[in-house]
DNA sequence: ATTATAGATGAGTTTAGCGCATCTATAGGT
DNA sequence: ACCTATAGATGCGCTAAACTCATCTATAAT
């Protein structure tokens, strides 16, 4: 290399700020270092870049031409670096309200404790800017997702609020909260399968539908009722004794959570997060 | 600074060439150094920039985004640097054919010997691109030039080819080569003044005019004749005994050589050259 | 299978970059 | 007009960053 890049950086700063002292502050250096750098640059290029008017400096013609180019060049590089660093030290996730509220947000703290240098931003809703560096955890039909992208296949069961007495499936009329997705192309919750597997029928069952699993679960807890929902969402509440499960059997569904092109996330933080969330969901 | 510029430079090169080894060669480093730089970069940014496929590397998505920016940025800077360095290590001059042929070109070698790191390009003709970094040595009316720009005021005299017998001004008819500028706004050579100062008259004088002093001088030498020209151009030929001067007195003229905005040239080489040529012309 | 090559890794060495002390010139206040 | 405070220049010594060397691994080529 003919000239040092650090010298150019010092020059760029000094040129932009019109002062070696200010440049030194910006770069966390002493004015001495800046002076050395610029002197070095001038002698290597055989050009004077600043007019020295006693204790004041001003750019020469050549100096300002060079300053234009260095400023533009370094700005371009700095912007790209900032982008990359943002991506490297934070994880931005978007997903459904239900997964966010029931799993991600409650566990967020645990992850950030284990990885103090990585911060997580969780957003819900369809603001799929498809902006690079955002990790989308999608909810959908398992047959539409690449196998390697799937992080959790959904199983369903009936859960009851804490303290509710186990229902007697034959005698009384039972109200069950369940979900009817807004998006009609999604497979329905496998209630029919579940009844079959548990050798029950529709006779005494009354359904109450919400468009997000989250709402059914909350309603069940609020009204001491029953909810038919995914084990994924119920798990934490079971452990916390806010929900209970009965002697019923879990059924698989065609639903899953997946991250499109999961393996294309290259930042350390994204990789850490994806490993972690996959572990959380499947433990 | 968060990341080292040299590491970025190494990354840019490796990204562009697709190989650490080639990058190392380009930067005159060992592959080890490039590997260290890129590893360092990746760990500081918390991002992997290259996929390592055994002994082969390829950019990740993030890597190629960053590479785009760094390549653009460094290219911009490098181009500007090259411009400046060209200006710093070479002098480009344009001037009249006469000054070029009679003074600049014959002395060019001497300057380049004294300043081995500076090369001179001399061009004539009106290709005044007004391109930056070109030094124009103009020939014109002294009253039109800034005083500080003038590097030589012209004096004129009669000179004869080597071996020609001094003319007897009174008896015979004498042919004198002189100049009539193409550019009519230039002051004529001060032949009238010269005759007056030397107490001679037009009686026996026959003029032959060229549009450049150079031609008159060459013609005089070729035909053993006399030429009325500037001392500036004659000087070197006098020393070389190719021309001789007589007992006549020199007269000043309103003509001069000047360099517009002479003091605005900031490159070391331009400054060196200007000092040197001013010295040559006035010694 | 064997060899040659690209890159990774760790430790030792060199040098570029930086700060300190000192000096000069000047802007700004009294 | 003088004094003071400030910006920058310069020379020298130190340290951390950058580089190389030796060694190791994986893989492409033959």
């Amino acid at each position: 290399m003919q000239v040092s890049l650090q010298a150019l950086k010092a020059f760029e700063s000094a040129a932009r700020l019109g002062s070696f002292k200010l440049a030194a502050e910006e770069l966390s250096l002493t004015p001495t270092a800046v002076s050395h750098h610029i002197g070095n640059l001038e002698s290597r290029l055989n050009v004077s870049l600043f007019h020295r008017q006693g204790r004041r400096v001003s750019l020469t013609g050549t100096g300002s031409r060079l300053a234009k180019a260095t400023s533009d060049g370094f700005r371009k590089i700095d912007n790209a670096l900032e982008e990359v660093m943002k991506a490297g030290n934070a994880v931005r996730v978007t997903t459904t309200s239900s997964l966010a509220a029931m799993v991600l947000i409650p566990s967020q703290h645990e992850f950030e404790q284990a990885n103090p240098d990585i911060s997580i931003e969780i957003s819900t809703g369809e603001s799929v800017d498809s902006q690079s560096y955002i990790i989308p955890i999608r909810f959908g039909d398992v047959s539409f997702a690449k196998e390697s992208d799937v992080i959790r296949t959904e199983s369903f069961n009936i859960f009851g609020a804490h303290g509710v007495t186990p229902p007697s499936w034959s005698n009384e009329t039972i109200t069950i909260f369940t979900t009817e997705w807004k998006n009609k192309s999604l497979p329905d919750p496998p209630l029919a399968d579940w009844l079959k597997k548990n050798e029950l029928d529709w006779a005494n069952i009354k359904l109450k539908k919400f468009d997000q699993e989250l709402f059914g679960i909350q309603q069940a807890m609020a009204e001491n009722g029953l909810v038919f929902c995914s084990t994924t969402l119920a798990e934490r509440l079971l452990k916390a004794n806010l929900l209970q499960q009965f002697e019923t059997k879990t059924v698989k569904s065609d639903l899953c959570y997946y991250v499109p092109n999961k393996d294309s996330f290259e930042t350390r933080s994204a990789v850490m997060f994806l490993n972690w969330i996959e572990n959380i969901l499947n433990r």
Side-chain angles (χ1 to χ4, degrees), chain A residues 87-149:
Chain A
N89 298 319
V91 179
R92 287 187 289 171
V93 196
T94 94
T95 189
T96 61
S97 312
S98 297
L99 190 72
M102 302 269 80
V103 180
L104 287 185
I105 292 173
S107 308
Q108 179 174 8
H109 187 62
E110 179 195 319
F111 179 84
E112 290 182 340
Q113 290 257 311
N115 303 276
D117 53 329
I118 305 178
S119 70
I120 297 188
E121 278 177 43
I122 297 169
S123 63
T124 64
E126 298 307 315
S127 68
V128 184
D129 308 77
S130 108
Q131 253 216 336
S132 181
Y133 302 129
I134 292 187
I135 304 176
I137 302 182
R138 298 259 170 79
F139 184 60
D141 191 327
V142 72
S143 59
F144 289 176
K146 254 192 297 182
E147 192 176 350
S148 63
D149 287 346

Side-chain angles (χ1 to χ4, degrees), chain A residues 65-79:
Chain A
R65 273 187 293 271
L66 184 62
K68 175 99 176 60
T70 51
S71 283
D72 288 357
F74 282 128
R75 184 148 27 83
K76 188 150 211 162
I77 293 170
D78 285 345
N79 288 343

Side-chain angles (χ1 to χ4, degrees), chain A residues 167-174 200 203-205:
Chain A
S168 64
W169 298 102
S170 38
N171 311 347
E172 45 187 328
T173 296
I174 296 170
L200 299 170
N204 303 319
I205 292 178

Side-chain angles (χ1 to χ4, degrees), chain A residues 181-199:
Chain A
W181 319 114
K182 254 186 203 160
N183 179 350
K184 300 299 181 195
S185 65
L186 285 178
D188 284 326
L191 187 51
D193 283 1
W194 182 86
L195 289 170
K196 197 169 172 189
K197 186 165 184 185
N198 285 283
E199 295 165 355

Side-chain angles (χ1 to χ4, degrees), chain A residues 33-266:
Chain A
V34 175
S35 175
H36 278 307
H37 271 313
I38 289 172
N40 187 317
L41 208 54
E42 289 179 321
S43 69
R44 275 184 203 274
L45 296 174
N46 290 321
V47 174
S48 60
L49 299 169
F50 284 97
H51 294 298
R52 320 303 160 100
Q53 299 136 353
R55 83 185 226 193
R56 168 164 299 177
V57 292
S58 63
L59 282 168
T60 65
T62 309
S64 59
R65 273 187 293 271
L66 184 62
K68 175 99 176 60
T70 51
S71 283
D72 288 357
F74 282 128
R75 184 148 27 83
K76 188 150 211 162
I77 293 170
D78 285 345
N79 288 343
L81 272 180
E82 198 154 329
E83 272 298 296
V84 173
M85 283 177 54
K86 224 185 288 172
N89 298 319
V91 179
R92 287 187 289 171
V93 196
T94 94
T95 189
T96 61
S97 312
S98 297
L99 190 72
M102 302 269 80
V103 180
L104 287 185
I105 292 173
S107 308
Q108 179 174 8
H109 187 62
E110 179 195 319
F111 179 84
E112 290 182 340
Q113 290 257 311
N115 303 276
D117 53 329
I118 305 178
S119 70
I120 297 188
E121 278 177 43
I122 297 169
S123 63
T124 64
E126 298 307 315
S127 68
V128 184
D129 308 77
S130 108
Q131 253 216 336
S132 181
Y133 302 129
I134 292 187
I135 304 176
I137 302 182
R138 298 259 170 79
F139 184 60
D141 191 327
V142 72
S143 59
F144 289 176
K146 254 192 297 182
E147 192 176 350
S148 63
D149 287 346
V150 173
I151 58 175
R152 167 72 171 179
T153 52
E154 290 289 75
S155 294
F156 280 73
N157 204 345
I158 292 274
F159 301 94
H162 173 72
V164 77
T165 51
S168 64
W169 298 102
S170 38
N171 311 347
E172 45 187 328
T173 296
I174 296 170
T175 298
I176 294 180
F177 300 124
T178 182
T179 315
E180 185 169 75
W181 319 114
K182 254 186 203 160
N183 179 350
K184 300 299 181 195
S185 65
L186 285 178
D188 284 326
L191 187 51
D193 283 1
W194 182 86
L195 289 170
K196 197 169 172 189
K197 186 165 184 185
N198 285 283
E199 295 165 355
L200 299 170
D201 59 35
W202 297 94
N204 303 319
I205 292 178
K206 193 180 155 196
L207 292 180
K208 205 162 174 186
K209 293 175 175 173
F210 298 88
D211 65 354
Q212 293 181 36
E213 289 186 274
L214 172 61
F215 296 155
I217 295 171
Q218 286 178 341
Q219 203 65 20
M221 292 195 297
E223 295 182 8
N224 276 339
L226 302 175
V227 60
F228 184 69
C229 70
S230 70
T231 56
T232 306
L233 298 185
E235 186 153 343
R236 231 190 108 264
L237 297 171
L238 287 173
K239 280 203 183 112
N241 273 325
L242 293 168
L243 284 186
Q244 57 173 318
Q245 63 184 331
F246 311 111
E247 298 293 311
T248 55
K249 290 171 187 160
T250 290
V251 289
K252 289 191 174 164
S253 77
D254 292 334
L255 291 157
C256 72
Y257 289 101
Y258 67 99
V259 177
N261 301 311
K262 174 158 73 82
D263 296 330
S264 74
F265 289 88
E266 295 131 356

